[in-house]
Amino acid sequence: MTEKKIFIRSTGSYLPEKVLTNKMLKEMVDTTDEWIVSRTGIKERRIALENECTSDLGVKAALKALAGAKILIEEIDLIIVATLSPDYIFPSTACMIQKKLGATCPAFDVGAACSGMLFALSSAKSFIASGQYKNVLVVAAEKVSSFIDYTDRSTCVLFGDGAAAMIVSDKAGFKESLQVGEIVLGSDGQMHKSLEIPAGGSVLSARNSSTTTKDHFLKMDGKVVFKHAIQRMASSIKECLDQSDVSEQQIDYFIPHQANDRIIDALLKRFSIKIDRVHKTLESTGNTCAASIGICLDHYLDQKVKMDQNILLTTFGAGFTWGSMLLKRERQ
Ligand code: UT7
């Protein structure tokens, strides 16, 4: 029996209008544009408004993806949302997005931090392959600024808000789509302390923590995360390519997690992927966590990707979690 083909019919993304530049951050913490650019490659990032929440960003990206696929919200069978900055601990951000889109289908969140988009896409792929659903809306949305301590220079310069969405379907749609290929996922809970928001859950609940301890904000051991990000993304890329018929040289578009230029450079040194095949948005978005690879894919997709070209996406995040995925521009 031939394997069922699964497609990404369309993509969409949304970035809030408010820009936070390195120069503005210099007024807030002891940092410089030179330090931030040389250590990360980031020049500015977008920040959502006070009254704009994660689901609002997700809805804006979802509406673009729905319009791109030319399908109605009534045709969506399932909504999966990836986020590390949810509207609430519960209900899920997926339920908030479902309500705002006027959908009635099942909806749930996946918790895989910055790797969430790939975990959500892998879930969508399985639901469609099993025949349970035909059209799945996958959204990755982050108002991570709500969880950033803007007096902590080691983290506040890195992150930005944004959202991405994709319509995953058993049909290619009216024009050529992206066929979903191999997806490799990984997790290592031993490393959870290196990147976390310590308070707000059942370990350190509202009863036993106070907002003055700043434990409700994102904490990161940057050096540990840096080292593991390179190792884990590199091994998942290798595994993903080994499991497919695609070689490093056949990668036409490489979209790595948009966290740090130096991590991307280190990855490139390990593979024969040409530098002009790497696509980045981090200079103007910062690290948008789960939304990062989706925003980047949406940004470059319609402009350039030609028939039969291969796209490789890879990501890494808290947990630790990581993964890689291959896409190919194809007709059904
Ligand atoms: O989505 C996945 C999550 N995150 C990542 O992938 C991030 C992974 N980590 C990184 O990208 C890097 O570790 C950072 C960019 C966060 C930090 O770069 P680094 O080269 O590892 O710097 P460092 O933490 O070793 O800090 C070097 C120095 C320190 O000063 P001393 O101790 O040498 O005097 C820091 O206090 O730089 C200082 N520093 C800063 N200086 C100016 C830290 N943050 C800043 C800052 N501006 N914003």
Side-chain angles (χ1 to χ4, degrees):
M1 205 173 75
T2 52
E3 210 183 308
K4 195 171 187 170
K5 286 187 175 184
I6 317 287
F7 299 92
I8 293 177
R9 257 170 88 152
S10 65
T11 62
S13 63
Y14 174 73
L15 293 170
E17 278 177 27
K18 192 173 149 193
V19 177
L20 179 61
T21 62
N22 290 352
K23 199 172 156 205
M24 290 155 84
L25 279 163
K26 192 168 168 282
E27 304 301 315
M28 297 157 68
V29 288
D30 181 15
T31 192
T32 60
D33 177 58
E34 195 277 329
W35 192 96
I36 303 171
V37 173
S38 64
R39 299 284 175 134
T40 71
I42 300 165
K43 290 187 177 160
E44 58 185 42
R45 66 290 291 142
R46 301 297 181 94
I47 303 294
L49 299 173
E50 202 59 47
N51 63 358
E52 224 177 359
C53 60
T54 297
S55 61
D56 293 328
L57 309 186
V59 163
K60 286 184 173 145
L63 288 172
K64 289 184 190 169
L66 286 164
K70 289 194 166 45
I71 66 170
L72 302 171
I73 189 64
E74 291 76 17
E75 295 172 76
I76 295 294
D77 304 310
L78 174 70
I79 299 171
I80 309 178
V81 174
T83 183
L84 58 69
S85 50
D87 286 7
Y88 307 104
I89 292 228
F90 71 86
S92 68
T93 304
C95 282
M96 303 317 295
I97 289 178
Q98 185 230 38
K99 180 194 86 158
K100 290 175 185 179
L101 288 173
T104 52
C105 63
F108 66 88
D109 285 1
V110 298
C114 295
S115 308
M117 180 56 114
L118 286 193
F119 280 70
L121 286 170
S122 182
S123 307
K125 182 184 176 187
S126 298
F127 275 117
I128 296 168
S130 75
Q132 189 173 355
Y133 298 121
K134 290 184 185 312
N135 297 311
V136 181
L137 168 62
V138 171
V139 179
E142 302 286 10
K143 188 184 178 186
V144 65
S145 60
S146 297
F147 301 90
I148 297 296
D149 173 6
Y150 285 96
T151 64
D152 174 8
R153 68 177 183 172
S154 71
T155 55
C156 74
V157 302
L158 304 175
F159 296 94
D161 300 335
M166 299 184 194
I167 308 293
V168 189
S169 176
D170 64 347
K171 294 206 173 44
F174 64 99
K175 61 175 185 181
E176 66 274 12
S177 301
L178 296 174
Q179 195 191 327
V180 180
E182 289 298 330
I183 306 179
V184 168
L185 304 174
S187 303
D188 180 3
Q190 298 291 341
M191 303 305 296
H192 72 98
K193 279 274 157 211
S194 306
L195 181 51
E196 64 172 7
I197 297 174
S202 61
V203 170
L204 205 48
S205 72
R207 241 192 320 274
N208 303 320
S209 64
S210 101
T211 48
T212 52
T213 62
K214 301 204 169 179
D215 282 337
H216 294 81
F217 293 118
L218 181 149
K219 312 276 182 201
M220 179 169 71
D221 183 338
K223 281 203 188 308
V224 172
V225 175
F226 191 94
K227 193 179 92 190
H228 282 265
I230 297 164
Q231 287 170 357
R232 300 304 198 173
M233 284 195 280
S235 62
S236 75
I237 289 171
K238 192 170 176 319
E239 202 182 326
C240 188
L241 294 177
D242 285 351
Q243 286 178 14
S244 64
D245 291 330
V246 178
S247 68
E248 293 169 27
Q249 293 79 7
Q250 289 173 303
I251 299 302
D252 301 294
Y253 288 83
F254 178 44
I255 299 184
H257 180 42
Q258 305 289 304
N260 188 314
D261 257 347
R262 290 186 296 143
I263 293 177
I264 297 171
D265 290 345
L267 278 178
L268 284 176
K269 285 204 182 99
R270 297 182 178 215
F271 296 97
S272 333
I273 299 172
K274 295 200 183 102
I275 187 93
D276 63 348
R277 310 241 158 129
V278 184
H279 287 78
K280 294 189 279 189
T281 51
L282 71 86
E283 182 180 306
S284 58
T285 60
N287 181 350
T288 55
C289 302
S292 108
I293 51 172
I295 291 171
C296 194
L297 178 66
D298 183 54
H299 191 77
Y300 287 103
L301 190 59
D302 274 341
Q303 292 177 14
K304 298 177 193 156
V305 185
K306 298 192 187 77
M307 203 59 80
D308 289 330
Q309 287 193 318
N310 294 304
I311 305 174
L312 173 68
L313 296 102
T314 188
T315 191
F316 179 84
F320 291 147
T321 54
W322 59 89
S324 291
M325 171 172 80
L326 269 169
L327 299 172
K328 189 182 197 120
R329 187 80 142 178
E330 258 198 22
R331 286 198 187 88
Q332 192 163 27

